[in-house]
Amino acid sequence: MKKTIIGVMGPGANATETDLENAYELGQLIAQEGWVLLTGGRNAGVMDAASKGAKFANGLTIGVLPTNDTSAVSDAVDIAIVTDMGNARNNINVLSSDVVIACGMGAGTASEIALALKNHKKVILLTNHPESKAFFQSLSEDSILIANTPAAAIEMVRGVLTDRH
């Protein structure tokens, strides 16, 4: 039976403390649901925090790395996928995820959201950037959901998964 994969995308170096706390909690909640966590895999920012949260809850974690250098992989990643594709790996992140949660905002995160929308994927925004919310909702009202807490984001994921089946 196919496992449900939830992609958590967010900033690396420029993640805020709130982004990191939310990502850690998202990782925990995703693992508690029995879902697989997919991130960008590096030991930085949202990727690392979400992976650590999932590992704390005994979850399975996948990291899709932008380079062929595995020295920067998060210690909390179980399966590292080495791409050597740079930012092009964002498309792999999005296409491999059943639902994408954007935790925080940065240029890479914005590109992943845009790719998800182009591929008709549901995206849950967990960010306190009103400009980002307005912009992405203007691109696709139907595919963008807004969550104010990690628990609300997980509830939205459940709804999306139920609607698909």
Side-chain angles (χ1 to χ4, degrees):
M1 185 169 150
K2 182 193 177 301
K3 297 256 186 206
T4 297
I5 300 173
I6 306 301
V8 174
M9 313 302 159
N14 297 319
T16 67
E17 197 57 42
T18 299
D19 294 339
L20 297 176
E21 290 167 8
N22 285 340
Y24 187 89
E25 187 176 345
L26 279 171
Q28 280 187 305
L29 294 170
I30 288 166
Q32 288 168 2
E33 290 290 332
W35 301 329
V36 176
L37 172 72
L38 182 146
T39 70
R42 293 186 298 117
N43 60 357
V46 165
M47 298 170 270
D48 192 43
S51 295
K52 285 178 176 173
K55 285 314 311 166
F56 181 80
N58 298 310
L60 179 63
T61 59
I62 300 171
V64 182
L65 301 170
T67 67
N68 63 4
D69 176 12
T70 58
S71 67
V73 69
S74 170
D75 291 340
V77 166
D78 293 311
I79 301 167
I81 298 174
V82 180
T83 68
D84 200 22
M85 295 175 69
N87 290 326
R89 70 85 144 79
N90 291 356
N91 209 38
I92 294 169
N93 292 351
V94 166
L95 292 176
S96 298
S97 299
D98 293 299
V99 180
V100 172
I101 302 173
C103 181
M105 193 55 62
T109 309
S111 75
E112 286 163 321
I113 296 167
L115 288 166
L117 294 177
K118 283 189 67 78
N119 286 285
H120 311 288
K121 298 264 183 176
K122 295 286 187 183
V123 178
I124 298 164
L125 297 182
L126 178 59
T127 179
N128 56 6
H129 296 93
E131 300 86 0
S132 299
K133 292 176 188 177
F135 173 72
F136 287 113
Q137 281 188 310
S138 75
L139 294 180
S140 179
E141 242 179 75
D142 296 339
S143 294
I144 294 286
L145 304 167
I146 307 290
N148 294 315
T149 66
I154 295 304
E155 197 58 43
M156 290 174 180
V157 170
R158 279 194 209 108
V160 169
L161 294 173
T162 300
D163 288 347
R164 288 186 13 195
H165 292 62

